[in-house]
Amino acid sequence: MAEVAVYPDRPERLSAERWLSFRFDDLVAWPSPAFVRKALARLGWRPRWLPVGERDWFHRPSERFLRFFTQPRVTAYLPDEPRETDYGSTLFRRIQEVMLEGGFNSWDLG
């Protein structure tokens, strides 16, 4: 399974012993009308967060994932955590918080 790191402005994936970086700005699924939203963003107005992927939290821990809108899609599966881990302390939530620092988020598939 490939290793993935997430930063406020990008996800990175380890592939063939080198890190590939994808800027979240290039992955945004712009709300309609997209051309208006992109123009407004260039002028400095952006929604509170922009979707750059999708997530599924409602399966067994080993099947939970974040899938980014890269080409090809980069999917990060999350490791199991102790059952007593509260939601705010889970790796899943901590990754979302890092993305939100940069103004990005993901669609919830659940």
Side-chain angles (χ1 to χ4, degrees):
M1 201 175 300
E3 197 171 328
V4 176
V6 179
Y7 301 94
D9 63 337
R10 70 196 182 284
E12 293 185 352
R13 178 176 185 246
L14 185 61
S15 177
E17 298 184 21
R18 65 178 242 246
W19 286 96
L20 303 176
S21 184
F22 306 90
R23 291 173 4 114
F24 280 141
D25 282 330
D26 297 333
L27 306 181
V28 173
W30 290 94
S32 293
F35 75 94
V36 171
R37 301 291 183 129
K38 285 182 182 181
L40 289 172
R42 282 190 210 103
L43 296 173
W45 182 89
R46 288 173 44 147
R48 204 176 92 222
W49 62 268
L50 294 166
V52 294
E54 52 199 15
R55 65 184 182 272
D56 193 337
W57 166 255
F58 298 101
H59 288 91
R60 293 190 331 239
S62 62
E63 295 175 355
R64 295 174 183 163
F65 64 85
L66 289 160
R67 181 178 302 126
F68 299 101
F69 297 146
T70 56
Q71 291 299 326
R73 296 282 196 250
V74 169
T75 302
Y77 289 92
L78 305 178
D80 288 343
E81 296 180 279
R83 187 175 279 277
E84 64 274 3
T85 305
D86 67 281
Y87 177 71
S89 300
T90 62
L91 181 57
F92 196 85
R93 182 62 195 158
R94 293 187 340 237
I95 290 171
Q96 286 180 293
E97 289 171 1
V98 168
M99 292 170 58
L100 285 168
E101 285 177 28
F104 302 98
N105 207 337
S106 54
W107 297 114
D108 190 350
L109 298 176

